[in-house]
Amino acid sequence: AAGVIQSPRHLIKEKRETATLKCYPIPRHDTVYWYQQGPGQDPQFLISFYEKMQSDKGSIPDRFSAQQFSDYHSELNMSSLELGDSALYFCASSLGLGSYEQYFGPGTRLTVT
Amino acid sequence: GESVGLHLPTLSVQEGDNSIINCAYSNSASDYFIWYKQESGKGPQFIIDIRSNMDKRQGQRVTVLLNKTVKHLSLQIAATQPGDSAVYFCAENDNNNDMRFGAGTRLTVKP
């Protein structure tokens, strides 16, 4: 079965650079979520989208933005990168809002040097 | 073996034993809970879920227990196998559509 696809899988950037992470949800899933997981930490919710509209916002820094496109894929844009942004970034998708199972992608490991 | 979740981040059990991983959640408005398993370098993998109108749900070798009075969730794994070794997270959803994860518990299964 098709799963959530994230690209790139690994990304190395320097401080103050920008990065764009991409997420392709499971086919027919209309909701995507972004999470940040620091080393040894639990995943922290950043932001979610349902039917191309932002549905909820968590601990996403102002330097980050995200959107969901007409084909339901989502991109997380990160600017003015800081060392503390180094983390695993997971995207998850679900069918519909609310209490539905979220299926996670393999994650993008971002390293900021 | 049994963990106290947030306060004991590691749990080591013998292969074949039962494991109990505990989790305390904070939001009494949360109505949906999920246990995830995360293997090294991979994304969280759904194991089992439970809604707040239930206090127990069973899957294959796993059981989730929910005690809303004390805001406590537990995951029981029967006959633990080496492939069960991973970090386990509980997550709660309060209908605001985002999952809030508890601190993970690392389960190590000794052969």
Side-chain angles (χ1 to χ4, degrees):
Chain A
V4 176
I5 297 171
Q6 290 187 246
S7 68
R9 294 293 310 278
H10 302 271
L11 189 59
I12 299 175
K13 291 285 185 178
E14 294 186 356
K15 282 194 307 182
R16 292 179 290 278
E17 285 191 320
T18 61
T20 297
L21 310 185
K22 297 185 179 182
C23 169
Y24 297 87
I26 290 172
R28 295 192 303 114
H29 281 194
D30 50 15
T31 310
V32 293
Y33 314 79
W34 286 97
Y35 294 86
Q36 177 192 60
Q37 186 176 26
Q41 305 295 316
D42 51 283
Q44 295 292 320
F45 171 74
L46 293 178
I47 196 167
S48 62
F49 293 86
Y50 168 68
E51 285 291 344
K52 292 151 280 184
M53 299 287 289
Q54 181 181 309
S55 61
D56 196 15
K57 194 172 182 180
S59 54
I60 184 169
D62 291 340
R63 298 176 290 109
F64 295 4
S65 65
Q67 57 182 324
Q68 185 180 31
F69 295 86
S70 57
D71 64 351
Y72 296 107
H73 93 272
S74 178
E75 294 183 3
L76 177 66
N77 300 294
M78 311 160 74
S79 62
S80 303
L81 286 169
E82 302 174 355
L83 296 178
D85 296 328
S86 295
L88 268 170
Y89 290 83
F90 289 107
C91 170
S93 75
S94 70
L95 183 61
L97 272 178
S99 303
Y100 294 94
E101 296 175 18
Q102 293 183 22
Y103 295 85
F104 282 77
T108 294
R109 181 173 295 281
L110 173 67
T111 303
V112 181
T113 62
Chain B
E2 184 169 347
S3 84
V4 293
L6 295 176
H7 301 291
L8 186 66
T10 63
L11 175 65
S12 184
V13 300
Q14 286 292 139
E15 181 178 358
D17 285 354
N18 296 331
S19 303
I20 299 176
I21 301 172
N22 296 303
C23 178
Y25 64 94
S26 55
N27 190 345
S28 56
S30 295
D31 66 348
Y32 180 61
F33 305 87
I34 299 180
W35 278 101
Y36 286 96
K37 171 185 179 183
Q38 188 175 25
E39 296 173 282
S40 180
K42 297 184 179 180
Q45 177 189 0
F46 174 93
I47 301 175
I48 191 168
D49 61 356
I50 189 168
R51 298 186 187 276
S52 60
N53 61 351
M54 304 171 68
D55 53 21
K56 180 179 180 179
R57 189 154 190 247
Q58 287 185 294
Q60 189 176 19
R61 282 201 307 119
V62 294
T63 300
V64 54
L65 299 177
L66 174 63
N67 186 330
K68 294 180 289 293
T69 302
V70 295
K71 292 188 285 190
H72 182 268
L73 198 67
S74 70
L75 176 71
Q76 300 178 2
I77 305 174
T80 315
Q81 302 168 1
D84 296 326
S85 293
V87 176
Y88 290 80
F89 292 99
C90 67
E92 59 183 303
N93 183 316
D94 62 359
N95 264 340
N96 281 334
N97 196 38
D98 56 287
M99 301 300 297
R100 301 197 183 277
F101 287 78
T105 297
R106 180 176 297 281
L107 174 65
T108 302
V109 181
K110 296 177 288 187

